[in-house]
Amino acid sequence: MVKEIKVAPMHKLIKRAGASRVSEESAIALGKALEEIGVKVAREAIDFAEHAGRKTVKARDIEIAAQKVMAR
Amino acid sequence: MVKEIKVAPMHKLIKRAGASRVSEESAIALGKALEEIGVKVAREAIDFAEHAGRKTVKARDIEIAAQKVMAR
């Protein structure tokens, strides 16, 4: 588990999505879920970059990877 | 756009997923993608909480919502 996403921004995100009250554990759960999705997207994006003969991951790699991961 | 997820943790996440080099724009793109997914998950979770007669979003609401959003 990478643990790059902090709890406070997840709390704010859920609040701004319209929640009356947000439990600490729900903010932790959202960070965990997004981190897992983020790793999946990043791995797909790295594959795309490598396939294109690049060592640098670019925005378009992430965008295609995110669409692919979400479409599953 | 909520803009709670910062660029630096996204950069680290892509690096740790195995990237040789990570462009700034790809880190921005990942933050944007995860934020959009996060808002979708949060909105579904709020629906689940309200449906259960709760005002507080709990971890299980997020977990069910994340599965639902990812399964689409």
Side-chain angles (χ1 to χ4, degrees):
Chain A
M1 204 54 205
V2 190
K3 272 289 194 177
E4 293 298 347
I5 299 176
K6 298 281 179 279
V7 175
M10 295 299 101
H11 195 282
K12 284 186 201 162
L13 196 155
I14 302 169
K15 262 284 182 192
R16 291 192 187 173
S20 311
R21 284 199 296 257
V22 178
S23 72
E24 176 82 359
E25 317 88 75
S26 75
I28 294 168
L30 184 58
K32 193 165 173 268
L34 290 187
E35 192 121 354
E36 283 171 13
I37 297 165
V39 170
K40 278 185 196 170
V41 170
R43 286 190 183 140
E44 292 277 353
I46 293 164
D47 286 347
F48 283 123
E50 284 175 356
H51 203 76
R54 283 185 276 103
K55 287 198 171 178
T56 306
V57 176
K58 301 212 170 184
R60 64 174 176 274
D61 301 318
I62 295 285
E63 286 156 4
I64 298 165
Q67 283 170 12
K68 203 179 155 194
V69 166
M70 286 304 287
R72 252 174 223 152
Chain B
M1 204 54 204
V2 190
K3 273 291 196 176
E4 293 298 347
I5 299 175
K6 298 281 179 278
V7 175
M10 295 299 101
H11 195 282
K12 283 184 202 163
L13 196 155
I14 302 168
K15 262 284 181 191
R16 291 192 187 173
S20 310
R21 283 199 296 257
V22 179
S23 72
E24 176 82 359
E25 318 88 74
S26 75
I28 294 168
L30 185 58
K32 192 164 174 270
L34 290 188
E35 193 122 354
E36 283 171 12
I37 297 166
V39 170
K40 278 184 196 171
V41 170
R43 287 191 182 139
E44 292 277 353
I46 293 164
D47 286 347
F48 283 122
E50 284 174 356
H51 203 76
R54 282 184 277 104
K55 286 198 171 177
T56 307
V57 176
K58 301 211 170 187
R60 63 175 177 272
D61 301 318
I62 294 286
E63 286 156 6
I64 299 166
Q67 283 170 13
K68 204 178 154 193
V69 166
M70 286 304 288
R72 251 175 222 152

